[in-house]
Amino acid sequence: ERLIEYHLGVNELAEALDWLERLVGRTEPQDLREVHLYRLVDLALKRAKMPERAERAIALSHKPAELIERLYSYLIAHGEYEEGFAWLGRLRELSSSPAAAELFVDRMMGLSLDQAELPELAERAIELSDERPRQIERLLTYYKLQGETESALTWLWRLASAFDDSGEREGTL
């Protein structure tokens, strides 16, 4: 702890992170270890501006969701949309239920279309969704508003293909 405080005091942030990481490796019980990991992520992102160190802390955590959310917020604030998208995908993987996983797909779609304006990310999110027709409709709306008719038609066909019942398909078309 004293070494960490010393390095922080003289603004040697990388060294402070090194010592904090060592402390994490030697700490038991797990709950106290998680406290040190939160501290490490906060220092890595807020003062050191070293997201790669936050990623290392996440890899050491047994409860990474909140740490990932902190990293995600940092990445989005710095315009790193594709990396943020990937971390939302990781949160989706960690979800405890299909409904919770779909909430992360919703966030991925929102990030892709509303913030980043990268429909190719939204297309990747659709492939992860359990509610593909609903997500495709969101993408269709985006393409329509952007005047991208050809892309909209491609996805309209995919939407129609998602329905097994020919009556529903006809209604979609």
Side-chain angles (χ1 to χ4, degrees):
E1 280 288 338
R2 288 184 186 167
L3 283 169
I4 295 166
E5 294 307 319
Y6 167 78
H7 287 293
L8 288 173
V10 294
N11 209 33
E12 294 175 346
L13 302 178
E15 290 82 0
L17 287 166
D18 289 340
W19 283 105
L20 189 51
E21 200 169 304
R22 286 185 188 120
L23 179 61
V24 165
R26 293 183 173 95
T27 301
E28 292 295 331
Q30 187 61 39
D31 290 343
L32 184 56
R33 184 179 175 169
E34 291 295 325
V35 169
H36 292 312
L37 287 169
Y38 281 81
R39 183 176 171 202
L40 199 155
V41 168
D42 282 344
L43 177 60
L45 297 177
K46 291 179 181 175
R47 287 189 58 191
K49 310 291 188 235
M50 297 177 166
E52 67 281 356
R53 297 299 293 264
E55 290 178 19
R56 284 173 40 182
I58 289 166
L60 297 172
S61 177
H62 286 82
K63 301 176 190 173
E66 191 172 330
L67 299 176
I68 293 172
E69 287 284 2
R70 291 176 185 209
L71 176 58
Y72 169 79
S73 295
Y74 174 89
L75 293 170
I76 298 310
H78 289 85
E80 300 291 336
Y81 298 120
E82 290 188 41
E83 286 185 53
F85 180 90
W87 284 105
L88 284 177
R90 175 76 194 283
L91 286 168
R92 180 192 159 276
E93 291 169 5
L94 294 171
S95 296
S96 58
S97 70
E102 195 62 31
L103 291 174
F104 286 109
V105 173
D106 285 340
R107 288 179 63 190
M108 294 166 86
M109 293 293 291
L111 171 64
S112 303
L113 301 176
D114 302 333
Q115 290 178 276
E117 296 186 1
L118 294 170
E120 60 275 11
L121 291 180
E123 292 175 8
R124 288 177 28 206
I126 288 168
E127 298 306 317
L128 300 172
S129 179
D130 289 334
E131 299 176 18
R132 285 192 179 125
R134 182 174 65 85
Q135 302 298 2
I136 291 171
E137 287 176 3
R138 289 179 71 182
L139 182 59
L140 282 171
T141 300
Y142 174 85
Y143 281 138
K144 180 180 173 186
L145 292 172
Q146 298 299 316
E148 296 183 33
T149 307
E150 189 173 319
S151 296
L153 288 172
T154 299
W155 280 94
L156 183 59
W157 179 253
R158 286 187 183 180
L159 177 61
S161 299
F163 294 108
D164 293 330
D165 180 90
S166 62
E168 283 185 86
R169 185 176 327 180
E170 291 298 322
T172 302
L173 290 174

